[in-house]
Amino acid sequence: MYHKEKSIQIKNSASALYNNLGVLRIAPRRLTYFAVVHANVVNMISASWDGLNYSHRQLQSKEPNVATSTSLIMQAAFCVLPSRDLLVVTSQKGIQMYESDGSIMVYWHALDTPETPTASSRSLTDPISVPAQAVFARGISAVPDNYICVGVSSGAILVFDVPSKGSNITLYEVLEEHKESITDVASECSGSQECIANLVSADDGGNLCVWKSGEEFQLLNKIPGFDMTCSSVKLWKGTAVAGYGTGQIRLYEAVTGILHAEINAHARWIYSLDIAPFSGLLLSAAEDSFVRVWHLAMTPETNSMEVAHLHNECVTDTQICGAKFCDGDGYAFVVTGYDLSEIIRFVQS
């Protein structure tokens, strides 16, 4: 069904992070942007559709006005809003938002760091070393009505209100329902139809929260986990599609939490899921070196979701950490792997 095309070289290898691949299709300019994280650098590639022209840019995570303060980047993702596209980069220090080509940083949000007792403030009964709580942001999604949602290690989800232009981005709301670190956030709006649920979030305990955006975000449902990380989640036609560390994919009716299907999809930890919204194709990628393509179809008579397996690709001896469709129909997809300095392309035969 798919065949391998010429790979796209990147300047650094991909880090072993969930969902470590961003893709943005710029149809008017016949370009596709790619973003891959390596340690404290985001490798950006602009590729022409004919495959003849490539340009590279590298972005570092650092605090504004502090030249030497860098931190590990957790994710880079493109957010498509009604009036503009942004590249959002999350790290251990904070959240950066750039113009989609990475040329200008338009917003910086610093993360709150929990206070650690100093040596002078400890009593004699206190332990010598006080373990510091990990602080980071991870899980990025654009939401209808010009919002961008970003998860953080405390379990909160930060909702940013993004104007149609300029840098006057504001922290609009903080959603505090998860008790464990956010792993992924995804949204959907089915065209002009009224969306009952248009945002789903996942955490390290495998728990899912289903939301509806608006002037105030409303929690619609909580789907409990099984103490196994949900590393990647998507929302399509009211169905939450979740990938887990067990290698399983579960499909839930988002609003009710009814389990439509459970698939033993991979032999090892799933790192990335993606959906082509126009065709219902589902892409899954895991540590087991396999990327698989599935087809999702809603059966109106039974109000259930049917899943069919369509295609396998094996990237030999590679821990796959990112996989994305390049278009809404699923005609092509791309893959990144840990310690791999290339983006591998597959196109329908």
Side-chain angles (χ1 to χ4, degrees):
M1 183 176 177
Y2 289 86
H3 66 273
K4 187 176 179 181
E5 292 263 303
K6 182 182 177 182
S7 295
I8 301 168
Q9 300 301 309
I10 53 180
K11 290 187 178 296
N12 300 104
S13 60
S15 294
L17 301 168
Y18 304 147
N19 308 298
N20 189 5
L21 179 58
V23 176
L24 178 65
R25 182 180 171 94
I26 312 292
R29 298 171 58 192
R30 300 182 65 81
L31 291 174
T32 302
Y33 293 157
F34 302 94
V36 181
V37 174
H38 170 82
N40 64 343
V41 173
V42 178
N43 294 284
M44 285 196 66
I45 305 97
S46 171
S48 61
W49 289 2
D50 58 15
L52 299 177
N53 297 303
Y54 297 93
S55 65
H56 296 262
R57 182 192 297 272
Q58 289 188 313
L59 306 176
Q60 276 200 329
S61 171
K62 57 185 179 182
E63 296 181 68
N65 305 320
V66 183
T68 60
S69 177
T70 61
S71 62
L72 289 177
I73 296 174
M74 303 302 292
Q75 191 179 2
F78 294 101
C79 289
V80 178
L81 297 165
S83 56
R84 68 193 297 190
D85 302 333
L86 293 176
L87 172 66
V88 180
V89 178
T90 62
S91 71
Q92 296 172 315
K93 296 278 188 181
I95 299 160
Q96 295 170 297
M97 298 187 188
Y98 292 84
E99 295 294 351
S100 59
D101 62 358
S103 59
I104 301 171
M105 186 170 74
V106 296
Y107 183 73
W108 160 264
H109 177 86
L111 294 179
D112 293 330
T113 303
E115 293 184 3
T116 302
T118 61
S120 60
S121 66
R122 293 194 195 106
S123 71
L124 294 176
T125 58
D126 286 340
I128 298 300
S129 62
V130 179
Q133 179 183 347
V135 176
F136 57 85
R138 177 178 61 191
I140 305 164
S141 183
V143 182
D145 306 320
N146 290 304
Y147 297 118
I148 289 178
C149 294
V150 181
V152 294
S153 50
S154 67
I157 299 169
L158 310 183
V159 181
F160 296 94
D161 188 2
V162 182
S164 57
K165 59 181 179 180
S167 59
N168 191 26
I169 297 169
T170 57
L171 179 59
Y172 180 79
E173 191 173 353
V174 180
L175 309 178
E176 296 181 305
E177 200 62 45
H178 290 274
K179 305 305 179 189
E180 300 188 53
S181 300
I182 302 298
T183 50
D184 199 17
V185 181
S187 67
E188 180 208 31
C189 189
S190 51
S192 60
Q193 298 178 6
E194 180 70 15
C195 297
I196 298 175
N198 56 15
L199 180 70
V200 61
S201 51
D203 67 26
D204 262 331
N207 307 288
L208 306 180
C209 287
V210 180
W211 311 83
K212 180 173 175 57
S213 66
E215 289 189 4
E216 289 187 1
F217 279 65
Q218 178 185 357
L219 177 68
L220 300 180
N221 190 22
K222 291 182 72 173
I223 301 172
F226 301 92
D227 293 324
M228 175 53 73
T229 298
C230 174
S231 50
S232 190
V233 67
K234 294 296 171 190
L235 191 61
W236 184 71
K237 292 191 175 182
T239 298
V241 184
Y244 296 86
T246 57
Q248 292 177 315
I249 299 172
R250 297 192 186 102
L251 284 73
Y252 295 97
E253 185 176 331
V255 175
T256 65
I258 294 172
L259 181 64
H260 282 311
E262 184 177 78
I263 311 162
N264 294 319
H266 291 272
R268 298 189 67 181
W269 203 290
I270 291 175
Y271 263 61
S272 185
L273 297 177
D274 196 29
I275 290 180
F278 303 144
S279 61
L281 293 179
L282 168 67
L283 193 64
S284 65
E287 284 183 328
D288 61 2
S289 302
F290 278 94
V291 56
R292 306 189 196 277
V293 181
W294 316 80
H295 182 251
L296 308 181
M298 180 65 75
T299 306
E301 296 81 9
T302 59
N303 194 32
S304 61
M305 186 71 71
E306 294 186 354
V307 184
H309 175 248
L310 299 183
H311 187 75
N312 280 335
E313 288 289 348
C314 179
V315 184
T316 307
D317 297 329
T318 299
Q319 176 185 329
I320 300 175
C321 52
K324 282 278 187 182
F325 286 115
C326 297
D327 55 274
D329 293 310
Y331 175 73
F333 67 86
V334 285
V335 171
T336 56
Y338 172 58
D339 213 23
L340 201 65
S341 299
E342 60 181 332
I343 300 171
I344 303 172
R345 297 178 65 238
F346 296 93
V347 179
Q348 284 191 16
S349 303

